[in-house]
Every structure is written in C-alpha cells, then in structure tokens.
Amino acid sequence: MSNRAKVNIGVIGVGHLGQHHARHLANISGINLSGVHDTDELRCKSIAEKNKTTAFTSIAAIVEASDGICVVTPTQTHADVASECIKGGKHVFIEKPITHTIEEASNLLQLADQYKVSVQVGHIERLNPALLPLKNFELNPKFIEVQRLAPYTTRGTDVPVVLDLMIHDIDIILSFVRSPVHNIRATGVSIITDSVDIAHARIRFKNGTVASMFSSRIAKDKVRKAKVFEKNMYVTIDFLLGLTEVYRVLDAKEDDPEALMSAPLDENDLSKQIVYEKPAVPKADALNLELENFANVIRGTEKPIVDGSAGLEALDVATQIHDLIIEDLH
Ligand code: NAD
C-alpha cells in the first residue's frame, strides 16, 4: 500500500465505545471509515448514517471492504470476531482486554502470524499524553503505586474490575518495568456485582521492582493516578488531569533549564539539590493517536504502540491477579 493512499478501516461493534471509534476514524485525514457492523441492526444503521458510511450486515462484507478492522464488541466475542477478520487477511485493532481468556489470545496471535497480519490492542492509557514527557527520562522504577477508581456504572461489569480497570495499569507497569514477574499477591471483594469490584494487587518483578495497584469501580469520584519512585527521582502522573510532576535529586552545580523550583537536599550539605519540574504535557487525543498508529501499521510505516503480545502479557498478569483474588476469597 502506498504511504499516501487512504486506509480503509471498518468498525465492528458500535456500542458505547465503538461509536467513538467510528466518529474518530471518519474525521482523521488519511483514513476512510469503510463502514460499520453491529448485530444490533438499528444501532448499526444509525451510527452509519451519523458518519455517512455503510452499515454492513455481515462481518464478511465489512472485512471485504476494509484494510483493517477495529473490534469493539463485548470482550467475550473478541476471539471469534477478530479470528474472522484475520482469516479474511485483515489487520485488527482489538479493544482491551485482547480476549476473554489467555488461550484465546494465544490462538489469535498464532492465527495472525499465519495470515501475516498485525494485531493491535486498545490499551488507550499507554497513549495518555501525561505519559509522553516520561520518554525524556530513562525510567528505572523501584516502586510504583497506582490508583484507578471509578463511580459505579453497569458498563464494563461483564468482566471483573481487574479486567475492566486494573488491566490499564498492568499494561502501563509492564511497559515501564522490563523484567519478568517474580511473584504476585492479590486481594479483592465483591460489593455490588457478583464479580470482584475492588481489587488490590502487588507485583514483585525479578529485578526487585515492586508495583502496587488499587482499582475500584465503586467510588464517588474518578481517580487515575500513578507514582513512580526510583533512585533520586519521584514522578507523579495524573492521567485524568494530564499532569506530570517530576522531583529529582541533582548535583547542586547541575543546571536544569526545566526546573521550576529547587532546594538543598540537606541544609548542612549544599552539594545536592532537589529539583521540581512540571514538563509540558502535549494536548492530544489518545483515541486519535492509537487509530493513527493503526492506520500507519496497515501502511507498514509504524509498529503498533501496543501490539498483540503486550495485550496477551497484560491479560496473563490480570488473569493471575484475578485467580489469586478468587482463591483468597474461598
Ligand atoms: P457495548 O455493549 O456498549 O457495545 C458493544 C456493541 O457490540 C453492541 O452495540 C453490540 O450490539 C455489539 N455486538 C455484540 N456482539 C457482536 C458481534 N458478535 N458482532 C457484531 N457486533 C456485536 O460495549 P462497550 O462498552 O462499547 O465495550 C466494547 C469493548 O470495548 C469491550 O471489550 C470493552 O472491554 C472495551 N472497552 C475499552 C475501554 C478502554 O478504555 N479502552 C473502555 C470501554 C470499553
């Protein structure tokens, strides 16, 4: 495919989230929204009309008309829907979590290899603009603490909170810590649904890094915050506000042009200073960024930011955490 040709991308599943994929795809230059498909025919037609595109009545038809497909159906259906797209020779962008089970995800990745197409996963928080300034720092975390809280809604409750909310943080942490998992501890409880609504997990990695995650879908307000501690550096990230703050210990004579404030580390020893920075967070829409990435993957000019293996790794750790919680409850 030429780099300038429009990429045809279709959306399967245009419910709460998929309608946004369709709207964004219809408005990104270089992409043609090839159409939408949903088992709910009325919904399918209405979203197609809104976006001036075709309402396809079968997966086979939308696959035929597209270079790539966004799969935004309920998680339990990802494996079947994505397999059909892959067998049609098309690249897939699958909403998170990649599939319901690890076995399904492994089979899907094998199938994609066989058909030589790419699998990308919608772990959208990895593209949160608040994370972009961290690219300038070589992160080597010793301890990571993450909190992700959301007011209760019935949406997303088809899966436990670990697969709904915590999996975002698992994916981010796995991208920060390039070391295998050593052990996991986890606890959780059900409050409203029959599955786990509140979860706490602690991962120790082989390199010694510890990550602590707390997720709840029963909260008054939304909170999405991370703290990253490493030797002589402390970073706080507010994913909702798009705010990143960095505190570093530097030699007193080191000049930091980005510093907003500095103070001696020790009043009796002025050789070290604590420097505070608030790096500029670019204004960017994470869904646009991931869909542009998908289009460029189809063109062959970029690699997926979150590929199928990353989706599988996140699902693997999430499943282990959930299984430990269930074991702990019984
Ligand atoms: P939803 O129930 O609102 O929408 C799903 C749509 O898929 C519905 O319109 C339904 O009719 C349709 N559908 C169901 N089975 C189908 C099939 N076999 N073929 C075609 N259409 C089918 O769900 P949602 O909240 O939009 O979630 C969809 C997916 O997105 C889930 O996997 C969810 O985990 C994920 N999600 C991700 C994020 C994120 O932050 N990245 C946020 C919300 C949801």
Side-chain angles (χ1 to χ4, degrees):
M1 159 169 286
S2 116
N3 285 0
R4 279 179 306 183
K6 277 211 173 198
V7 178
N8 296 303
I9 302 181
V11 183
I12 302 185
V14 281
H16 173 75
L17 187 59
Q19 64 182 328
H20 298 300
H21 285 67
R23 180 171 50 82
H24 281 249
L25 289 167
N27 288 299
I28 298 176
S29 67
I31 295 179
N32 170 46
L33 171 64
S34 49
V36 295
H37 167 66
D38 197 296
T39 41
D40 177 340
E41 281 185 25
L42 278 181
R43 171 104 190 150
C44 187
K45 275 191 190 146
S46 129
I47 299 294
E49 270 167 29
K50 267 192 197 155
N51 294 289
K52 302 187 176 47
T53 191
T54 310
F56 288 103
T57 51
S58 72
I59 295 184
I62 192 170
V63 165
E64 176 69 33
S66 311
D67 304 310
I69 298 282
C70 290
V71 177
V72 202
T73 56
T75 303
Q76 283 80 352
T77 66
H78 286 182
D80 285 347
V81 173
S83 297
E84 203 172 333
C85 303
I86 292 171
K87 285 179 184 162
K90 303 303 158 81
H91 304 278
V92 286
F93 172 105
I94 308 174
E95 256 316 324
K96 59 104 277 234
I98 178 168
T99 51
H100 193 53
T101 69
I102 294 165
E103 198 190 355
E104 286 173 348
S106 306
N107 291 341
L108 207 60
L109 296 190
Q110 274 179 24
L111 194 68
D113 267 356
Q114 193 186 327
Y115 281 83
K116 299 194 176 9
V117 297
S118 72
V119 175
Q120 193 168 334
V121 186
H123 281 289
I124 194 164
E125 285 289 52
R126 199 97 76 84
L127 292 102
N128 190 304
L131 287 177
L132 293 178
L134 299 184
K135 289 201 170 20
N136 300 328
F137 299 95
E138 210 170 294
L139 288 185
N140 190 11
K142 282 182 175 290
F143 190 85
I144 304 171
E145 185 194 286
V146 194
Q147 247 194 334
R148 186 171 293 262
L149 317 179
Y152 182 76
T153 94
T154 49
R155 247 183 304 107
T157 53
D158 54 331
V159 291
V161 71
V162 177
L163 287 174
D164 179 19
L165 300 183
M166 191 180 274
I167 196 164
H168 284 294
D169 300 316
I170 295 169
D171 172 63
I172 290 171
I173 287 167
L174 293 179
S175 76
F176 281 178
V177 186
R178 305 310 299 166
S179 171
V181 170
H182 177 57
N183 64 33
I184 301 177
R185 303 269 183 278
T187 48
V189 287
S190 300
I191 300 292
I192 293 183
T193 72
D194 291 336
S195 74
V196 176
D197 296 314
I198 297 180
H200 179 257
R202 199 208 66 195
I203 305 176
R204 180 176 281 281
F205 292 87
K206 289 217 166 110
N207 67 356
T209 305
V210 174
S212 167
M213 293 172 283
F214 177 69
S215 303
S216 167
R217 53 187 175 201
I218 299 166
K220 181 173 163 285
D221 301 306
K222 270 190 183 180
V223 176
R224 293 180 190 169
K225 287 185 180 171
K227 294 174 189 163
V228 181
F229 302 83
E230 65 176 70
K231 185 78 182 151
N232 290 330
M233 182 153 107
Y234 166 48
V235 181
T236 67
I237 304 152
D238 189 320
F239 293 95
L240 275 184
L241 294 183
L243 177 66
T244 304
E245 294 170 286
V246 182
Y247 299 81
R248 288 192 294 161
V249 176
L250 297 178
D251 284 340
K253 49 183 183 300
E254 269 186 85
D255 194 24
D256 184 344
E258 304 293 324
L260 294 178
M261 273 193 303
S262 62
L265 180 64
D266 178 343
E267 292 297 341
N268 300 315
D269 171 6
L270 301 182
S271 64
K272 297 273 182 203
Q273 58 174 339
I274 301 175
V275 170
Y276 168 67
E277 292 164 46
K278 205 158 76 172
V281 172
K283 286 262 169 283
D285 184 284
L287 184 52
N288 255 17
L289 291 177
E290 59 180 7
L291 293 173
E292 279 169 355
N293 179 221
F294 184 43
N296 288 333
V297 168
I298 296 171
R299 287 189 186 99
T301 58
E302 283 182 19
K303 295 243 178 290
I305 292 169
V306 183
D307 63 14
S309 307
L312 170 59
E313 269 182 55
L315 179 65
D316 183 16
V317 172
T319 307
Q320 290 184 53
I321 290 173
H322 182 66
D323 289 351
L324 285 167
I325 294 173
I326 298 301
E327 209 176 282
D328 186 50
L329 282 173
H330 292 103

